[in-house]
């Protein structure tokens, strides 16, 4: 695929990455500046002619703008260049369509695409029959354009209902995790900062990870066992970019709800990116838009292997809370520090809020008797790697020696079929 683009200087590299991620072959990039967009072409008439000549000279079949175009501007540019024209929103939607694999992800992409398409039905219908007056010239009661608008509207309603059902199912799963005292930690961050690579390091999930924007789109949840901190749910979410269209945020609300419902956010940052402060600001802006700005964050400064002199470490604030972790997810350096930071955060929270869920602290040897009906709890004890020894008594009960913290002991005392013995 050939491409001609127009982008601002500040976002030029990201624009190139977006186009490459969509599978485009970049032949040339045209840049320009205006105080305000031209109503007809978005760019000025002189720049439009330059774009037309570049398309003809390169035999391009696609022009991509790093801006949002109105339907009329898109139509006028296609007429001028005699090829397809795509704006920033359309480009991101194309990437999303390639990356979505789950049922929920495909629903969200289709909803966003239809919302975008519904504003662009003004193009391409000049050859179709319209309503006309006069004998022999009366058209059908509903034009083709109106029919398509109605069908798209009906499809959007159906998709919203199905996504609402997905949201309800997610809510039920979150309630189930809440009842079982399962904490949720959500990975957030700018796209291509290494979230999925870190997720794989922490969970061995095998999620697709690549050096491209939006390498993964569908949300992925996995259980992670932390030493003496019990299990937590780790969620990998879609990355953000500059100027992420509001409509896309709305369409992917089911995915982002996992972020809103999290107990802790791991904000993954590319420490080697010279524009990392802008990226952090963009992520926080989207988090505020979905209502997650007040959630506690630990910044994970990734890719220290690309910056000379940086070593893995944890930074704590004056109150003892972990605030930053410096790591390299690609080679695994510092990944254990991420686990430690999560455990330290929940330890601090438990001490401050009286949370009786298991957290990392001083351990002691305790003796448990588990009834045969508590087989699931027995399996969890082994998953948490706290079992020291095990035997079975004459009644068929499990006698298990565990190394646990006081908060973990309190947690176990509340479980059905579990008894603490002397």
């Amino acid at each position: 695929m050939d491409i001609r683009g127009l982008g601002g200087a500040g976002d030029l590299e990201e624009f190139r990455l977006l186009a490459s991620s969509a599978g485009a072959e970049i032949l040339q990039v045209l840049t320009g500046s205006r105080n305000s967009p031209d109503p007809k072409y978005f760019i000025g008439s002189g720049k439009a002619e330059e774009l037309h000549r570049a398309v003809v000279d390169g035999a391009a079949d696609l022009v991509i703008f790093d801006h949002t175009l109105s339907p009329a501007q898109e139509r006028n540019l296609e007429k001028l260049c005699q090829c397809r024209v795509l704006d920033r929103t359309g480009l991101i939607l194309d990437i999303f369509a390639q990356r979505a694999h789950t049922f929920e992800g495909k629903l969200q992409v289709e909803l966003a695409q239809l919302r975008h398409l519904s504003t662009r039905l003004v193009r391409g219908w000049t050859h179709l029959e319209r309503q006309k007056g006069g004998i022999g010239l009366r058209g059908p009661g509903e034009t083709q354009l109106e029919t398509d608008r109605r069908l798209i509207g009906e499809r959007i309603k159906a998709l919203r209902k199905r996504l609402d059902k997905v949201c309800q199912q997610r809510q039920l799963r979150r309630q189930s995790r809440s009842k079982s005292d399962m904490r949720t930690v959500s990975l957030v961050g700018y796209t291509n900062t290494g979230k999925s690579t870190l997720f794989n390091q922490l969970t061995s999930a095998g999620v697709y990870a690549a050096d491209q924007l939006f390498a993964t789109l569908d949300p992925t949840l996995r259980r992670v066992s932390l030493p003496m901190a019990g299990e937590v749910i780790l969620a990998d979410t879609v990355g953000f970019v500059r100027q992420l269209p509001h409509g896309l945020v709305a369409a992917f609300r089911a995915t982002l709800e996992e972020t809103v419902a999290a107990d802790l956010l791991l904000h993954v940052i590319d420490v080697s990116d010279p524009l990392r402060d802008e990226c952090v600001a963009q992520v926080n802006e989207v988090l505020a838009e979905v209502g997650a700005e007040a959630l506690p964050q630990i910044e994970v400064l990734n890719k220290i292997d690309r910056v000379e002199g940086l070593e893995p470490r944890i930074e704590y604030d004056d109150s003892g809370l972990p605030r930053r972790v410096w790591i390299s997810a690609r080679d695994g350096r510092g990944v254990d520090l991420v686990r430690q930071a999560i455990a330290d955060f929940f330890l601090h929270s438990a001490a401050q809020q009286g949370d009786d869920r298991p957290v990392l602290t001083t351990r002691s040897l305790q003796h448990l008797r588990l009834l045969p009906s508590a087989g699931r709890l027995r399996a969890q004890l082994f998953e948490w790697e706290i079992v020291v020894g095990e035997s079975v008594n004459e009644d068929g009960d499990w006698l298990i020696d565990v190394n646990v913290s006081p908060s973990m002991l309190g947690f176990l005392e509340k479980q059905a079929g579990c008894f603490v013995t002397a």
Side-chain angles (χ1 to χ4, degrees):
M1 181 186 296
D2 295 335
I3 173 176
R4 294 294 186 270
L6 176 77
D11 298 339
L12 189 56
E13 184 58 31
E14 180 179 278
F15 181 45
R16 288 178 180 272
L17 288 172
L18 281 170
S20 299
S21 297
E25 177 189 350
I26 304 174
L27 298 180
Q28 185 178 344
V29 178
L30 301 181
T31 61
S33 61
R34 286 181 60 89
N35 293 328
S36 60
D38 180 79
K40 185 175 183 180
Y41 293 124
F42 185 86
I43 53 179
S45 57
K47 182 64 70 172
E49 287 300 325
E50 180 184 350
L51 176 62
H52 177 226
R53 289 194 300 270
V55 170
V56 173
D57 293 343
D61 59 10
L62 177 63
V63 174
I64 301 180
F65 275 68
D66 191 26
H67 302 275
T68 299
L69 301 176
S70 70
Q73 289 168 342
E74 200 169 298
R75 184 176 68 254
N76 292 336
L77 285 164
E78 288 187 345
K79 184 177 180 180
L80 173 68
C81 298
Q82 293 297 301
C83 69
R84 188 180 173 210
V85 175
L86 201 63
D87 67 358
R88 181 182 177 87
T89 300
L91 175 62
I92 295 176
L93 282 173
D94 183 83
I95 298 172
F96 279 13
Q98 296 179 46
R99 304 289 191 264
H101 299 292
T102 65
F103 173 73
E104 176 187 352
K106 291 177 180 179
L107 283 181
Q108 292 178 132
V109 169
E110 184 181 355
L111 176 60
Q113 287 176 322
L114 289 177
R115 282 174 169 169
H116 185 63
L117 177 62
S118 64
T119 65
R120 280 158 166 73
L121 288 180
V122 294
R123 74 164 100 178
W125 296 107
T126 55
H127 65 288
L128 295 176
E129 186 178 20
R130 309 284 291 185
Q131 294 184 31
K132 300 177 181 179
I135 296 175
L137 297 176
R138 293 182 177 88
E142 185 177 43
T143 66
Q144 182 64 48
L145 182 58
E146 291 167 342
T147 300
D148 275 31
R149 282 176 175 160
R150 175 173 55 80
L151 292 175
I152 287 177
E154 291 174 354
R155 180 60 178 167
I156 287 176
K157 290 181 181 178
L159 287 173
R160 283 175 175 169
K161 288 182 180 179
R162 297 174 82 173
L163 279 173
D164 286 342
K165 185 175 181 180
V166 170
C167 291
Q168 293 174 3
Q169 292 171 343
R170 283 187 173 276
Q171 180 64 25
L172 290 174
R173 288 196 291 268
R174 283 193 292 268
Q175 290 176 356
S176 177
R177 292 198 299 266
S178 176
K179 290 179 180 178
S180 62
D181 290 328
M182 291 289 288
R183 297 180 178 86
T184 301
V185 180
S186 184
L187 288 169
V188 299
Y190 209 75
T191 186
N192 204 30
T193 56
K195 296 187 304 301
S196 295
T197 302
L198 176 59
F199 185 82
N200 288 334
Q201 288 278 12
L202 292 170
T203 65
S204 302
V207 171
Y208 177 70
D211 187 17
Q212 58 184 203
L213 302 188
F214 301 116
T216 53
L217 174 62
D218 299 307
T220 307
L221 283 76
R222 292 289 188 276
R223 292 190 179 193
V224 177
S225 295
L226 300 175
M228 298 311 301
E231 285 189 332
V232 298
I233 297 293
L234 189 65
D236 186 18
T237 60
V238 63
F240 305 137
V241 293
R242 299 180 187 92
Q243 305 172 35
L244 187 65
H246 177 79
L248 296 185
V249 176
F252 283 81
R253 72 186 191 280
T255 299
L256 296 174
E257 279 179 358
E258 290 296 338
T259 298
V260 179
D263 296 294
L264 173 65
L265 302 181
L266 294 184
H267 186 166
V268 183
I269 302 168
D270 181 356
V271 72
S272 66
D273 187 353
L275 300 176
R276 62 179 178 273
D277 291 339
E278 296 179 22
C279 296
V280 169
Q282 288 292 326
V283 171
N284 288 329
E285 183 178 325
V286 176
L287 290 175
E289 189 172 348
V290 300
E293 71 276 13
L295 293 178
Q297 285 189 22
I298 296 178
E299 293 184 348
V300 179
L301 298 165
N302 190 26
K303 303 186 181 182
I304 61 173
D305 53 295
R306 297 186 178 183
V307 181
E308 187 177 354
L310 292 182
E311 295 294 333
R313 69 181 190 275
I314 302 178
E315 292 183 8
Y316 294 86
D317 62 15
D318 295 338
S319 65
L321 273 174
R323 288 303 182 192
R324 293 184 184 87
V325 188
W326 302 72
I327 71 163
S328 171
R330 185 174 66 174
D331 60 27
R333 287 191 298 151
V335 172
D336 287 341
L337 296 181
V338 176
R339 295 188 179 93
Q340 179 182 334
I342 297 172
D344 288 350
F345 172 83
F346 288 128
L347 168 63
H348 189 280
S349 299
Q352 296 295 321
Q353 303 173 14
D355 191 344
D356 60 357
R357 289 180 291 182
V359 294
L360 180 67
T361 187
T362 304
R363 294 175 288 178
S364 62
L365 183 65
Q366 299 291 336
H367 308 286
L368 306 178
R369 180 171 63 88
L370 269 62
L371 300 181
S373 59
R376 179 175 177 81
L377 178 60
R378 173 182 174 272
Q380 288 178 329
L381 295 177
F382 279 95
E383 289 177 4
W384 293 338
E385 300 178 354
I386 60 176
V387 176
V388 177
E390 180 189 37
S391 61
V392 180
N393 66 13
E394 57 186 13
D395 296 324
D397 301 334
W398 289 296
L399 304 179
I400 301 179
D401 299 329
V402 292
N403 219 0
V404 296
S405 65
S407 59
M408 172 70 86
L409 183 61
F411 168 79
L412 294 174
E413 288 176 337
K414 298 177 182 179
Q415 306 307 303
C418 178
F419 303 93
V420 178
T421 62

